[in-house]
Amino acid sequence: MKSRQSILPALLLVLLFFVSSKRLSAQGFDWQYSSRLPTGYPSLFVGILGNGAQSLHATTMRVSETTPRVLDCGCSFSTARSIDWSGGILGEYWLPQSNIALYVALLAEQRNAVFVSDSVVFARNPNLYPSNFVSRYTLATQVLNASVEAGVRVKFAPLPLFAGAALQGAYRVQDSIGLAENANGTVRERLPTDFVKLHPVNISAKAFVGADIPLANSVFISPSLFIASPLGSLLMGTEWTRFSFGLQVALMLGFLP
């Protein structure tokens, strides 16, 4: 009986803690704007967002040349790694009486990838050539996108942690695609890249977890880890997928109602 009586006050304290936490602002910060007059908490935030990511690429692009007939070297690109970045502006609105925020971001992003693959080995007359003929092809791509990202994040109040998900639509503004061949020491550059047909628009899904850290009244910073991947191929007619993971940081400024 005494043990139950000792447990009951502890449960009441825990319940009181969670009930009182619901009275804080939606983003969970107990900012004190005035010691005399009651004030509201900001629900609209605007800021800047930047991220860097490591991307893993997988594709089935096959090299072919038309000079004027199609020459198939038997070379297919498969995998690549890249470091990508993006940055832009962010707007976030916290729903009334909830720990849920909706946000929209306008971003500029740079994507790049370098694929390397060897052709099939062509046998040559050993009396005339010391080795068989093989070519190494290098495909370097760089894309600049303008993108719109819209998502939702949920705060685990009273903890500073949150999780979220988003969709991103990216429009290809500029691209640079170069193909070079190294054939037993002889280099040919600026080869035709007709087999690389990028989609002008692609849609990606994104998930992230992080923490909100208050810096001052109405100002906080949000570092988070994220993963992202396109919903479909980046190429027309050929498979090219990308899986990205990295760190993003947002610096937000709130506006009082």
Side-chain angles (χ1 to χ4, degrees):
M1 187 68 177
K2 291 183 179 180
S3 62
R4 293 184 180 179
Q5 290 177 350
S6 61
I7 292 175
L8 184 58
L11 293 177
L12 291 176
L13 288 175
V14 173
L15 180 61
L16 180 62
F17 174 76
F18 280 100
V19 170
S20 63
S21 68
K22 294 298 183 179
R23 296 176 183 174
L24 299 179
S25 59
Q27 67 276 13
F29 301 136
D30 191 13
W31 285 319
Q32 183 66 39
Y33 291 94
S34 174
S35 60
R36 297 182 179 181
L37 299 176
T39 59
Y41 285 90
S43 58
L44 176 63
F45 291 81
V46 176
I48 56 176
L49 173 68
N51 72 55
Q54 166 119 27
S55 296
L56 308 178
H57 304 260
T59 184
T60 56
M61 280 186 288
R62 191 174 182 86
V63 178
S64 63
E65 297 183 50
T66 305
T67 57
R69 63 188 182 87
V70 176
L71 302 178
D72 189 352
C73 65
C75 172
S76 293
F77 298 113
S78 57
T79 61
R81 293 173 178 263
S82 67
I83 301 296
D84 304 322
W85 64 265
S86 69
I89 58 175
L90 170 68
E92 183 175 82
Y93 175 71
W94 290 85
L95 299 179
Q97 305 300 319
S98 73
N99 291 323
I100 299 175
L102 306 177
Y103 76 89
V104 176
L106 303 178
L107 304 168
E109 59 179 14
Q110 179 176 290
R111 303 280 188 176
N112 62 85
V114 178
F115 297 90
V116 178
S117 181
D118 291 338
S119 69
V120 296
V121 178
F122 298 96
R124 297 192 294 187
N125 188 335
N127 297 323
L128 299 177
Y129 302 98
S131 62
N132 293 328
F133 183 85
V134 62
S135 294
R136 168 158 291 187
Y137 287 86
T138 301
L139 177 68
T141 68
Q142 187 176 80
V143 178
L144 181 64
N145 293 329
S147 65
V148 178
E149 180 176 312
V152 58
R153 68 187 189 102
V154 180
K155 191 75 170 289
F156 302 116
L159 299 175
L161 304 179
F162 64 83
L167 289 177
Q168 184 186 77
Y171 174 73
R172 177 164 49 90
V173 177
Q174 182 179 345
D175 63 69
S176 174
I177 303 173
L179 179 65
E181 176 194 17
N182 188 330
N184 285 36
T186 302
V187 178
R188 291 196 303 156
E189 297 181 340
R190 298 181 181 178
L191 297 178
T193 56
D194 298 337
F195 61 94
V196 184
K197 298 178 181 179
L198 296 170
H199 278 292
V201 177
N202 63 79
I203 306 297
S204 299
K206 181 179 182 181
F208 51 89
V209 293
D212 290 334
I213 303 171
L215 301 180
N217 283 354
S218 299
V219 180
F220 69 94
I221 188 171
S222 290
S224 59
L225 301 174
F226 71 90
I227 57 174
S229 182
L231 301 177
S233 177
L234 300 174
L235 288 176
M236 292 184 285
T238 307
E239 187 71 17
W240 181 359
T241 60
R242 180 183 65 225
F243 177 78
S244 304
F245 56 94
L247 172 68
Q248 64 182 15
V249 179
L251 178 63
M252 307 298 294
L253 172 64
F255 296 89
L256 288 174

